[in-house]
Amino acid sequence: MPIIPTPADAMTTLRRRTSEKWGTHSDDVLPMFVAEMDFPLAPAINKALHEAIDLGDTGYVNPSDPGARTAFRDYAAAAWGWEPDPERMGITTDVSVVIVESLRRLIEPGDGVVITPPVYPPFYDLIPEAGGVVVEAPLRDDGSSYALDLDGIDRALAAGAKGVLLCSPHNPVGLVHDRATLEQLSRIVARHDGFVVADEIHAPLTHHGVEFTPYLAVSDEARAHGIAAESGSKAFNLAGLKTALFVSESDRMTDLIRSLPEEVTFRAGQFGLIATREGFARSRDWLDATVASVQNNVDHLQAELAAHLPAVRLRRPSASYLAWLDMSALGWGDDPAVIAEQQARVALSSGPAFGRQGAGYARMNLACSPDTITEAVRRLAAVDPSGAPQR
């Protein structure tokens, strides 16, 4: 049976939302920046949340409830051939907390942690929050594709960095690291007696026809020194409901999770736990349809750029709904998102926020209707290189 793509909500409905995406700008701005979806909630999630409200099931999370953890295990087994043990998982608010609380226990103050820019901007803040120092090993870029710079990571660890904060799949470029690369990474990290914290929040949004490999599934070394941050928040648009999972495969990392203060668990959201369970257990068809919508939107964006804004370059992502746009040829400076918002009234994510490699770039959110993409490209095309609107 062909997959029928998920349609986005109507603009009149979206404008009534009050989340960051829809509450930050005035109504004349197309918001295509923060990673929120314009799609309606999966029906199973919608139904379960309404039932919880009807029951008044609005208390604290129950850490002994295996629902979300078991649902994630079953999803990972079906999608990726990986079956993590729910007993080795922990619950918390979001992936950022998984990262910070893991790093607090893996490093000493002042220790270096490797990141691979251009990369999710909060990585630059989460490492110092945990007491560490950011060490950059930028992605290799040959002009047509990106890849981890394994030699650069090796050098950084040899120079004293203690571990790697891995973005997998990689935000903002949509890179899905292949198994061979991750196996090599695990051996490099093991050789330096390091660790990997793998942010895999975008993994369920891997595009059809592309294979995602969980870091903890690649080798015995990875299982020994790795901890994964998992969540349904990007896949099912649940960021505001606040639930994520620590996932481990070794006694060392399981002990780390069990050493966490109980408040790390109890700060998670009850609705988030319910929604995460329903997403991974009963919303896989919805997720497949949503990924199909995103892939169609990538096609649509490529066609619109070719027809109306050929100077802007897009390398096709292999995961998630984020388009990393090379806008440097437009002459809009290091941060073209500024001109896009001021002159085209299109809100994009600032490229330089992802690292110095993002100069001349902006990130566009494609979890929307094709009409929104069409309107955005037409608006951007109506701005001249000096940033003055064309008449």
Side-chain angles (χ1 to χ4, degrees):
M1 292 287 290
I3 298 173
I4 301 174
T6 302
D9 277 329
M11 189 63 69
T12 52
T13 298
L14 295 169
R15 292 288 183 194
R16 295 169 57 196
R17 294 185 182 179
T18 60
S19 62
E20 182 181 3
K21 183 175 183 181
W22 293 98
T24 299
H25 300 284
S26 57
D27 284 356
D28 65 326
V29 174
L30 282 180
M32 304 180 77
F33 63 117
V34 69
E36 298 179 21
M37 291 184 182
D38 293 355
F39 305 121
L41 280 177
I45 295 173
N46 190 310
K47 180 175 183 287
L49 292 176
H50 277 86
E51 288 176 350
I53 291 171
D54 290 342
L55 290 170
D57 191 7
T58 56
Y60 295 108
V61 297
N62 176 4
S64 65
D65 180 1
R69 289 170 291 178
T70 300
F72 175 75
R73 176 203 63 194
D74 294 345
Y75 170 81
W80 308 321
W82 174 47
E83 195 168 344
D85 183 353
E87 293 299 316
R88 291 185 179 274
M89 300 181 195
I91 299 165
T92 191
T93 53
D94 56 36
V95 161
S96 292
V97 173
V98 175
I99 292 169
V100 170
E101 295 298 337
S102 298
L103 290 178
R104 287 191 208 280
R105 289 153 182 81
L106 291 168
I107 64 173
E108 298 294 331
D111 282 348
V113 179
V114 179
I115 63 172
T116 55
V119 73
Y120 182 52
F123 279 15
Y124 286 96
D125 300 318
L126 299 176
I127 291 170
E129 183 180 345
V133 175
V134 171
V135 177
E136 295 190 10
L139 292 177
R140 288 172 42 224
D141 178 5
D142 65 6
S144 61
S145 62
Y146 292 98
L148 290 177
D149 182 356
L150 294 172
D151 290 338
I153 293 171
D154 192 5
R155 288 192 297 270
L157 293 170
K162 300 301 182 181
V164 178
L165 177 50
L166 178 69
C167 196
S168 179
H170 195 97
N171 174 10
V173 304
L175 168 65
V176 177
H177 309 298
D178 61 54
R179 179 179 288 272
T181 296
L182 294 175
E183 286 176 349
Q184 291 179 65
L185 174 65
S186 72
R187 294 189 184 102
I188 290 168
V189 172
R191 188 165 64 247
H192 294 287
D193 194 24
F195 64 82
V196 170
V197 177
D199 174 357
E200 296 181 347
I201 195 170
H202 292 275
L205 292 164
T206 299
H207 293 179
H208 297 140
V210 180
E211 181 181 359
F212 171 76
T213 303
Y215 184 72
L216 298 183
V218 300
S219 67
D220 289 339
E221 293 92 340
R223 285 183 278 278
H225 65 231
I227 192 162
E230 310 286 354
S231 178
S233 68
K234 290 295 180 284
F236 302 106
N237 206 37
L238 308 176
L241 298 185
K242 292 299 178 187
T243 294
L245 300 173
F246 297 83
V247 181
S248 65
E249 289 272 18
S250 67
D251 290 345
R252 174 194 176 195
M253 293 305 181
T254 301
D255 288 345
L256 181 155
I257 293 169
R258 291 174 178 166
S259 75
L260 296 166
E262 65 177 14
E263 284 304 316
V264 173
T265 295
F266 283 110
R267 289 174 186 144
Q270 170 72 341
F271 283 0
L273 210 60
I274 292 168
T276 299
R277 179 196 71 212
E278 294 300 310
F280 285 122
R282 278 174 276 279
S283 303
R284 298 181 199 175
D285 288 345
W286 180 94
L287 180 59
D288 283 344
T290 298
V291 171
S293 291
V294 171
Q295 291 185 249
N296 288 345
N297 282 348
V298 175
D299 292 340
H300 186 64
L301 175 60
Q302 288 181 316
E304 287 293 307
L305 291 175
H308 303 285
L309 205 55
V312 174
R313 184 178 179 214
L314 169 65
R315 295 184 227 180
R316 189 179 186 93
S318 295
S320 203
Y321 49 82
L322 306 170
W324 187 233
L325 302 178
D326 181 355
M327 305 177 77
S328 55
L330 296 177
W332 292 3
D334 285 349
D335 194 358
V338 173
I339 297 296
E341 182 179 338
Q342 290 177 349
Q343 302 296 344
R345 308 306 284 160
V346 176
L348 305 175
S349 294
S350 165
F354 294 82
R356 57 185 175 80
Q357 297 78 10
Y361 285 77
R363 193 189 72 179
M364 177 182 282
N365 181 339
L366 301 182
C368 59
S369 74
D371 288 346
T372 298
I373 295 169
T374 297
E375 176 66 16
V377 173
R378 304 295 170 86
R379 290 188 186 194
L380 294 168
V383 179
D384 73 20
S386 69
Q390 293 181 354
R391 302 282 181 187

